[in-house]
Amino acid sequence: QKTRVFVARLDPATRWTELKDFFRDNGFGVEYASVSADAAGNSKCCGVVQLSSADEAARAIRELDGEALGDASILVREDRQQRM
């Protein structure tokens, strides 16, 4: 099931809690959120959000792609990476 979305173009200061809250504040059922970091702990300015259903993920892509989160206009798309 395609319940995960990839989020890019995050502001480097965005934490996973802010990403989670952004999706929840916009009416989405978030089960998991993370922001990727390099070995030194610096943000890679992207992350993933696991939503409660495939319909929620599709709606998040439609409604949140291009929206402002902090000082950044984010990209939201289907997460294409295989995860365990």
Side-chain angles (χ1 to χ4, degrees):
Q1 292 199 359
K2 302 188 185 287
T3 58
R4 229 181 249 254
V5 294
F6 176 78
V7 184
R9 298 193 310 236
L10 293 172
D11 184 287
T14 300
R15 301 171 93 94
W16 73 268
T17 52
E18 295 165 311
L19 183 59
K20 170 188 58 84
D21 291 344
F22 174 76
F23 274 75
R24 285 189 175 162
D25 291 348
N26 280 281
F28 294 93
V30 177
E31 296 189 1
Y32 171 84
S34 72
V35 173
S36 298
D38 64 19
N42 299 311
S43 175
K44 291 184 176 180
C45 299
C46 63
V48 293
V49 178
Q50 175 88 35
L51 298 160
S52 58
S53 71
D55 288 342
E56 286 257 297
R59 186 168 68 88
I61 292 167
R62 283 192 314 272
E63 295 181 9
L64 299 182
D65 184 44
E67 291 296 310
L69 173 54
D71 291 333
S73 174
I74 61 171
L75 175 141
V76 181
R77 67 161 170 79
E78 177 186 323
D79 182 27
R80 299 181 193 124
Q81 184 174 340
Q82 295 294 323
R83 299 185 193 275
M84 305 272 307

